[in-house]
């Protein structure tokens, strides 16, 4: 049966089927050919919500552990947003769901930047100058304390 004919038959049947359901039920007719998109058909009744069908599929065992391209794309976006955030570039639009992943990456990048800055400062104040002298004792001790604080922060 051609896909167009199946769609037409399903559309005719959907209202008949819906009449036999409680009024708060949502009806979906779904046809697919695994591995191919040529026969994909998703027909919701007018009041149906796709999130509800996902919940209904999860109840009998649909899991986030199985492989599918949608899930892989979501994970790729989250990983990419964290990487962009760590580099502090290409933030998502304000309010986009990927923004929280970008923020996680940015926080990690900021911690790295703070740690590198503390180490650079410590190296600067403890490196002997041309006369073999090390910077002022107070500055040296402050840089050491800052480095210790950064180490404690990163171990927490």
């Amino acid at each position: 049966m051609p896909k167009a004919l199946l769609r037409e038959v399903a559309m005719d049947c959907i209202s008949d089927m819906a009449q036999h359901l409680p009024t708060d039920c949502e009806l979906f007719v779904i046809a697919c050919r695994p591995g191919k998109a040529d026969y994909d058909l998703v027909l919701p009744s007018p009041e149906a919500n796709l999130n509800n069908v996902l919940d209904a599929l999860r109840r009998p065992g649909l899991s986030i552990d199985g492989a599918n391209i949608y899930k892989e794309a979501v994970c790729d976006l989250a990983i990419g947003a964290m990487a962009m955030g760590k580099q502090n570039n290409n933030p998502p639009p304000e309010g986009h769901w990927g923004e929280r992943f970008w923020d996680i990456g940015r926080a990690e990048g900021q911690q790295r930047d703070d740690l590198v800055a503390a180490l650079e400062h410590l190296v600067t104040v403890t490196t002997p100058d041309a006369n073999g002298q090390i910077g002022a004792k107070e500055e040296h001790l402050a840089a050491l304390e800052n480095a210790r604080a950064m180490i404690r922060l990163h171990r927490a």
Side-chain angles (χ1 to χ4, degrees):
M1 172 183 289
K3 182 177 178 179
L5 181 56
L6 174 63
R7 179 180 177 77
E8 186 178 315
V9 169
M11 291 297 289
D12 288 342
C13 293
I14 221 170
S15 62
D16 291 338
M17 292 167 52
Q19 291 177 27
H20 298 284
L21 295 171
T23 56
D24 58 346
C25 279
E26 297 176 11
L27 178 66
F28 288 85
V29 174
I30 300 172
C32 67
R33 186 180 300 196
K36 299 179 182 179
D38 66 336
Y39 232 78
D40 288 356
L41 182 66
V42 179
L43 298 173
S45 57
E47 69 286 344
N49 178 325
L50 286 173
N51 288 318
N52 293 336
V53 78
L54 288 175
D55 289 341
L57 291 169
R58 284 187 199 106
R59 281 191 287 272
L62 182 66
S63 164
I64 63 168
D65 293 329
N68 72 57
I69 196 156
Y70 177 77
K71 187 174 38 194
E72 290 172 15
V74 169
C75 290
D76 287 347
L77 184 136
I79 291 165
M82 286 187 282
M84 292 292 117
K86 189 163 186 174
Q87 298 168 10
N88 197 23
N89 68 34
N90 200 22
E94 189 173 330
H96 186 275
W97 67 268
E99 189 174 19
R100 66 182 159 167
F101 296 103
W102 191 92
D103 291 343
I104 290 168
R106 184 63 230 127
E108 288 294 318
Q110 187 61 53
Q111 283 184 347
R112 178 207 54 220
D113 296 348
D114 293 346
L115 182 59
V116 168
L119 292 172
E120 286 174 340
H121 182 66
L122 180 60
V123 168
T124 299
V125 300
T126 58
T127 300
D129 62 16
N131 297 324
Q133 299 294 312
I134 294 179
K137 183 177 180 181
E138 297 80 22
E139 189 177 15
H140 181 179
L141 293 175
L144 274 174
E145 185 50 41
N146 186 33
R148 286 185 183 114
M150 293 303 296
I151 290 167
R152 283 191 302 273
L153 176 69
H154 284 66
R155 284 193 177 156

